[in-house]
Amino acid sequence: MHHADLHLHTTASDGAWSASEVLRVAAARGVSLLAITDHDETRSTAEARHWAQHLGITYVAGIEISTVWRGVDLHLVGLNIDTDHSAITSVVSDAKRMREARGRAMGEALEREGINDVYASALKYSQSPENLSRTHFARVLVERGICSHTGEVFTRYMKPGKPGYVPTEWTAIESAISAIRASGGDAVLAHPARYDLQWVGGMPGLLADFCELGGSGIEVFCAAHTPAEWSVYAAYCRRFGLKASLGSDFHSPKESRLAIGDLPRLPGSLTPIWADWEIAHA
Ligand code: AMP
Ligand code: MN
Ligand code: MN
Ligand code: MN
C-alpha cells in the first residue's frame, strides 16, 4: 500500500515552497505516491515530475480547481490528469482571468478599509497576478502587523461577508468534473468537512450530485478533518461507492496543520483513488 500524499501546494499557487523542496521533503518522509495540486494551476508539474523520478516517488499530475455548486464554493482535486489537455487548459485560463480581476478588486476593497497598497505587496508573494490567492493577501496583513496570523486575516477580512471578500463566479462543478475526466483524471472532492451545506441540502445531496456528475472520490484524511471526521467520510465513501483520497494540503510549515506525508495509511475497507491507475501499480 502506498504512503500517499495527493494534495500539496507550491509557489505556483499559494504554497511557500517550490516543487523541488516539497518533493525532497516528501521523499525524506517516505512518501511513495504524490500529486502537486496547486489552485487552478499546473505549472509545477514538470519540476515535480523531474524530482519525483530522481527521488523514486511515483508522481501523478494534479490540480485543485475552484468550483461552485448551488452557490457554495467547493474545491475539486483533479488527479492523474493530462495537464496539456485543452479541457484543463481552458478551465485554468478561465480561473486565471477571474483571479486577476478578483485580486484587483480585493486590493480596492482593502483600500476602502484604509489598508493601502496591499495589491502591490501581495503580488510579491505570487508568481503572477493570475495566481493571486487570498493567502497572499493574508501574508501581507500579517507582515504589516495588522493581524497576528493568517487565520485571523480570514476571520476578520477574507471570509464571505467580511470587507476584503470579493465573490467570484468560479467554474461550475460540472464543467470542472468533465474537464478532469476528459483529460483522463479522477475528480476528488477536497476537504469535504469544510463546507457549509446547511442551506443547500447537506452532504448527502452534494455527494449524490457529485457521483451523478462523474466524481470519483473524496478526501478522507486531510488537514481539515478531525479523527472523528475520518470515520464519517470513510462511511460516506462506502455509502456512495466513492474512492478514498488523502492529502496534507501542505502550504508552508507555519501555515499548515499537517506536515508533508503526515497521514495515516488508508484502511483496507476503502478503495484508494489510485486503484485503477496503472502508474501507481507499476
Ligand atoms: P482562494 O483560492 O484565493 O480563495 O484562497 C483560498 C485559500 O486560502 C485556501 O486554499 C487556503 O490556503 C486559504 N484559507 C482559506 N481559509 C483559511 C483560513 N480560515 N485560514 C487560513 N487560510 C485559509
Ligand atoms: Mn491554498
Ligand atoms: Mn482547498
Ligand atoms: Mn489545497
Side-chain angles (χ1 to χ4, degrees):
M1 172 67 82
H2 274 294
H3 180 187
D5 192 337
L6 298 173
H7 186 154
L8 302 123
H9 295 272
T10 71
T11 46
S13 64
D14 59 348
W17 290 5
S18 68
S20 75
E21 291 170 307
V22 168
L23 269 285
R24 276 181 284 185
V25 171
R29 298 182 61 95
V31 172
S32 62
L33 179 65
L34 185 141
I36 298 291
T37 55
D38 279 310
H39 297 288
D40 306 305
E41 178 60 88
T42 61
R43 195 195 302 146
S44 276
T45 306
E47 182 182 337
R49 264 196 212 295
H50 169 85
W51 283 99
Q53 194 167 22
H54 189 72
L55 296 160
I57 293 176
T58 301
Y59 188 76
V60 292
I63 188 168
E64 182 172 18
I65 305 180
S66 311
T67 76
V68 61
W69 174 78
R70 296 191 186 170
V72 181
D73 290 354
L74 302 177
H75 286 175
L76 281 200
V77 166
L79 294 175
N80 201 20
I81 57 168
D82 171 1
T83 56
D84 295 328
H85 193 284
S86 61
I88 293 291
T89 56
S90 132
V91 163
V92 166
S93 57
D94 284 352
K96 286 184 167 185
R97 263 197 305 278
M98 292 187 268
R99 280 190 182 275
E100 173 157 34
R102 183 188 68 157
R104 291 182 195 284
M106 282 176 70
E108 288 161 14
L110 291 167
E111 297 276 342
R112 291 194 285 275
E113 293 301 298
I115 309 174
N116 299 321
D117 303 319
V118 185
Y119 179 75
S121 307
L123 274 180
K124 286 188 233 151
Y125 286 109
S126 176
Q127 285 186 351
S128 105
E130 301 180 319
N131 294 112
L132 267 178
S133 159
R134 284 182 288 165
T135 310
H136 300 122
F137 285 83
R139 288 185 188 142
V140 174
L141 268 61
V142 171
E143 170 195 82
R144 293 194 191 172
I146 296 167
C147 294
S148 60
H149 54 89
T150 51
E152 186 190 336
V153 182
F154 276 85
T155 311
R156 283 174 56 193
Y157 293 101
M158 307 277 188
K159 284 193 172 174
K162 300 298 173 179
Y165 181 78
V166 174
T168 307
E169 281 198 49
W170 298 116
T171 307
I173 194 168
E174 46 268 53
S175 314
I177 295 175
S178 337
I180 291 166
R181 287 181 55 118
S183 87
D186 279 313
V188 169
L189 181 65
H191 39 67
R194 227 171 71 186
Y195 310 118
D196 181 1
L197 302 172
Q198 58 175 325
W199 309 111
V200 288
M203 189 55 65
L206 166 58
L207 294 182
D209 247 31
F210 180 68
C211 288
E212 206 171 295
L213 294 169
S216 308
I218 60 176
E219 287 183 347
V220 173
F221 299 140
C222 61
H225 289 183
T226 62
E229 286 164 341
W230 297 346
S231 347
V232 171
Y233 291 93
Y236 276 126
C237 281
R238 290 185 280 263
R239 174 171 161 195
F240 286 90
L242 285 159
K243 297 191 178 98
S245 192
L246 70 174
S248 59
D249 206 357
F250 178 80
H251 286 73
S252 79
K254 259 197 293 184
E255 290 161 329
S256 297
R257 273 213 269 156
L258 291 182
I260 294 174
D262 192 8
L263 295 155
R265 304 294 166 111
L266 284 180
S269 57
L270 296 175
T271 308
I273 190 70
W274 60 85
D276 300 328
W277 301 347
E278 267 170 44
I279 188 171
H281 303 284

